[in-house]
Each structure stands twice: as structure tokens, then as C-alpha cells.
Amino acid sequence: MKYTEEHEWLTEIENMVVVGITAYAAEQLGDVVFVELPAIGTTVAKDDEIVVIESVKAASDILSPLDGEIIEVNNAIVESPALVNEDPEGDGWFFKIMPSNRLQLDDLMNLSEYQQLIG
């Protein structure tokens, strides 16, 4: 897994990358009550706002960690936002992206670097 400073996790599977938020981020947000995901086929650039997530504490935008095309979204979290809290680094994933610049993955943190960030 790779991690961003915005508390997203990424897992590369074959040619695509699965993206979600970390357990730390889910805990900080509190109970998630609403998730709006991007449309499949959307082309995004790194740092574009692509997901809206609302919790009992706050509303937040999730930024794209990579340039690419959204190829799948997790409709289960739209129907049941609590999945983000229950399994943020598993069934609570947000979207899958086909990266257009794989080198951007090299700029992300590994687990030990992310653990230092959240200290």
C-alpha cells in the first residue's frame, strides 16, 4: 500500500489502483453519513476534488492522488456510508483509477512513513 498526506491509501492491482481513506482518517471524521463518488469514465488530474464525504463532524473533499481515469466506483458505500467507518481499508474503498502517470506512485509514502506522519 501507498499513502498520501491527505490520508488516502492506494493499492495497485494489475494496471489499476484502488483508492480509499485510511483508518486514521475514518476515525477523525467520525460516523460517515454521505458519500458522493465520481462518475465512471471521468478523467482526473492529481489533486482534483473527486469525492465528497460527509460525517457527523464535517464535510470533506477527497482529492485524486493520481492523474488518470475513474474505471470503477464502490456503490456499496453510497448505499451504506457506514462501511467507510467499519472497513476503511477494505470494503470501504472509494474508487478504482487507471493511472496515466505511474511515476506519481513513487512520490507517495510507504506504511512506515505514513505512521510517522500520523505519529
Side-chain angles (χ1 to χ4, degrees):
M1 278 186 152
K2 296 283 194 166
Y3 299 87
T4 70
E5 290 183 6
E6 291 76 30
H7 308 288
E8 296 164 317
W9 58 263
L10 295 83
T11 299
E12 197 168 6
I13 301 173
E14 296 178 20
N15 294 329
M16 67 181 164
V17 176
V18 183
V19 179
I21 61 170
T22 64
Y24 174 83
E27 182 181 315
Q28 296 300 306
L29 279 170
D31 293 337
V32 175
V33 295
F34 174 80
V35 179
E36 181 181 326
L37 298 172
I40 294 172
T42 302
T43 300
V44 296
K46 184 179 184 311
D47 296 330
D48 281 356
E49 295 175 354
I50 58 169
V51 172
V52 175
I53 186 169
E54 293 180 13
S55 72
V56 293
K57 292 182 179 179
S60 302
D61 291 318
I62 305 296
L63 307 179
S64 178
L66 306 168
D67 298 340
E69 180 182 345
I70 304 300
I71 57 171
E72 189 176 338
V73 296
N74 186 359
N75 287 315
I77 64 170
V78 173
E79 296 166 14
S80 181
L83 274 174
V84 175
N85 296 107
E86 293 164 9
D87 193 10
E89 296 181 21
D91 290 339
W93 61 274
F94 284 25
F95 59 87
K96 295 179 183 176
I97 187 170
M98 183 68 65
S100 58
N101 181 357
R102 292 197 168 297
L103 294 177
Q104 289 175 323
L105 288 164
D106 296 339
D107 296 333
L108 302 175
M109 292 178 276
N110 62 32
L111 180 58
S112 65
E113 291 167 330
Y114 181 70
Q115 287 174 330
Q116 284 182 333
L117 174 74
I118 61 175

